[in-house]
Amino acid sequence: MKEVHTIFNHALAPITPGPSSSNTCGPVRIGMVCQQILGEIPAKAVVEYYTKGAFPNTLYGMRSDIAFINGLLGKEQNVPGFTDAYANAKAAGMEVSFAEVDDLTVGGMETVRIRMTAHDGSQLVVIGESIGGGAFLIHYIDDCPMDIQGTNHELLVFLKSPSEEAAQALAQALTPQIKKLNDIRCVTGAHYSIVNAKSAEPYGKELLNALSARDDVARVRVVSPIHPIINDITRKPPFESPDELVAYCAAHHCSPAKAAIDYEMAVSGWSEKEVRRYGDMLIGIMKDSRAGGFRSDLSFEGLVSPKASKFRGVIGSGNMPSLGLLDDAIPSALGIMEHSNASGKIVCVPTGGSSGIVPGLLLSAADRMEASSEALYEALMCAGLIGVLMM
């Protein structure tokens, strides 16, 4: 199943507290999906990570531990009290620990195996990977291979016994009952089979109740989409390459900005007003993060100390030559990065490490040019479209 890249899912995303999209936002999302697969906040959770991966060096410094805990509690990354995760886990009765292991070789550098124990004593193991820019991939539920990425309404029907034939029969029966079905697949492990349906719309209670009542079904779980734009295979992008973009602009006598807006409307199903509202929200967060980075009392732990507020207004004065627009853009980008390092709320573009570059340039250019809010919005959408085409 092909999933189209979108501006608000993949380029101007995610919205998260810093310092890292892959180390902060990705772990939250993996934890949230694990909690939904289990069906409750676990009584006990052990987050295992590979000794030769990235987490031995970043788990605590990048606050990935806090992120995993929040996710397992069912809390997304922008909730108030994000850093109170350990206290919140204790209050919820969840015992959580972290362990370095040498046998986790699935996926890439930021893969974890989360062993969860429910309150009835049942256990479930999920392997998930943070793959950058807040994106993630669930590789396994126990020994059943999966492909959950947070862009669909995921239906998971666990059969009581491992039977490919029974799973295929159920999948065939389910297919006509799901109106906006993107994909349906069956996987079988040593102890059970799973029928996994991916839909562009939520599942009705009547269907879920009927599945739960079946004698051959052990449990039914629904995993909600996490990214803002939900995948729908019936939606097609108006272009998918730079050459096609140029041709589209010529055919429709439109600017690249209008083409970017048309693209996002086509792949999201959103109206032009909804796209504009979301874009303006992103600009507001970017402006707030720049202001936060210029605060003289900003502080964070690390090898470096905040410098943006001291650097502001210095380039181009004294013995420092002017760099034109960069006189403002460099301190702005640095300030957003430092706001991120202090766990401030940022728009990753598309990572925490690059969160200052696009906002720093666009906001500084808009200030110098006294550009309208419309022009700034169009510039942001152009930047997002360039990111999508590069992907």
Side-chain angles (χ1 to χ4, degrees):
M1 178 186 65
K2 181 179 179 180
E3 293 197 19
V4 177
H5 290 132
T6 75
I7 293 173
F8 293 150
N9 278 2
H10 300 98
L12 306 179
I15 302 166
T16 181
S20 169
S21 59
S22 61
N23 287 276
T24 312
C25 184
V28 171
R29 291 172 164 178
I30 291 171
M32 288 178 66
V33 172
C34 287
Q35 190 259 355
Q36 292 178 75
I37 294 172
L38 185 66
E40 62 180 61
I41 294 174
K44 181 179 180 181
V46 180
V47 181
E48 299 177 342
Y49 51 93
Y50 188 40
T51 186
K52 295 181 180 179
F55 284 124
N57 296 315
T58 62
L59 183 72
Y60 299 105
M62 292 286 193
R63 300 191 169 181
S64 302
D65 59 328
I66 288 173
F68 280 119
I69 294 171
N70 274 288
L72 288 166
L73 291 171
K75 299 177 182 292
E76 60 95 31
Q77 66 269 19
N78 292 303
V79 295
F82 178 79
T83 57
D84 300 328
Y86 282 95
N88 291 337
K90 185 176 181 180
M94 182 177 73
E95 178 186 341
V96 62
S97 60
F98 298 87
E100 191 172 317
V101 297
D102 59 9
D103 65 339
L104 182 56
T105 56
V106 175
M109 296 290 286
E110 294 176 329
T111 301
V112 292
R113 180 170 55 213
I114 301 183
R115 301 184 183 274
M116 297 176 288
T117 303
H119 287 82
D120 65 1
S122 60
Q123 296 183 332
L124 195 68
V125 179
V126 175
I127 295 179
E129 178 184 0
S130 179
I131 57 179
F136 66 93
L137 173 62
I138 301 300
H139 287 285
Y140 282 93
I141 298 176
D142 287 331
D143 60 348
C144 292
M146 303 301 298
D147 179 17
I148 297 175
Q149 301 186 52
T151 54
N152 296 275
H153 292 274
E154 305 276 353
L155 174 64
L156 300 168
V157 184
F158 292 76
L159 300 184
K160 291 179 179 177
S161 59
S163 171
E164 291 185 21
E165 184 179 353
Q168 291 290 347
L170 178 56
Q172 187 175 0
L174 270 176
T175 297
Q177 300 182 62
I178 303 173
K179 293 181 180 179
K180 282 281 192 175
L181 183 66
N182 289 327
D183 192 19
I184 191 164
R185 59 188 65 185
C186 305
V187 292
T188 298
H191 303 290
Y192 53 77
S193 295
I194 299 176
V195 178
N196 173 210
K198 300 175 183 293
S199 172
E201 291 184 350
Y203 303 96
K205 287 185 178 180
E206 185 176 342
L207 174 62
L208 299 178
N209 290 337
L211 288 169
S212 298
R214 288 176 60 112
D215 292 336
D216 59 344
V217 170
R219 60 189 180 276
V220 177
R221 297 288 183 261
V222 172
V223 178
S224 299
I226 289 177
H227 294 282
I229 293 175
I230 301 170
N231 185 45
D232 185 339
I233 60 172
T234 65
R235 301 192 196 113
K236 305 298 180 184
F239 47 83
E240 294 187 88
S241 71
D243 288 343
E244 290 178 7
L245 165 63
V246 172
Y248 182 88
C249 291
H252 292 79
H253 306 288
C254 69
S255 67
K258 181 61 168 64
I261 295 165
D262 290 349
Y263 179 96
E264 202 67 358
M265 289 169 60
V267 297
S268 67
W270 293 6
S271 68
E272 187 168 359
K273 184 180 292 186
E274 288 171 322
V275 172
R276 175 63 188 267
R277 185 183 302 120
Y278 197 88
D280 283 344
M281 185 226 3
L282 296 179
I283 291 170
I285 296 170
M286 291 174 175
K287 288 180 175 179
D288 288 344
S289 62
R290 181 175 66 165
F294 284 148
R295 285 175 45 193
S296 60
D297 62 344
L298 184 72
S299 65
F300 51 80
E301 294 180 3
L303 299 176
V304 296
S305 58
K307 293 181 173 60
S309 63
K310 299 176 183 178
F311 207 31
R312 188 182 189 186
V314 172
I315 305 176
S317 65
N319 62 354
M320 293 189 70
S322 174
L323 302 175
L325 171 61
L326 296 183
D327 292 356
D328 301 323
I330 289 173
S332 293
L334 179 61
I336 293 169
M337 282 294 304
E338 292 179 343
H339 179 72
S340 170
N341 287 346
S343 293
K345 188 175 180 179
I346 55 168
V347 178
C348 298
V349 194
T351 72
S354 62
S355 60
I357 305 302
V358 168
L361 281 167
L362 292 187
L363 296 178
S364 298
D367 289 345
R368 287 209 169 198
M369 298 168 66
E370 297 183 353
S372 66
S373 59
E374 179 73 20
L376 179 55
Y377 163 67
E378 290 184 350
L380 180 69
M381 294 302 291
C382 279
L385 181 60
I386 290 169
V388 165
L389 294 178
M390 289 176 68
M391 291 183 74

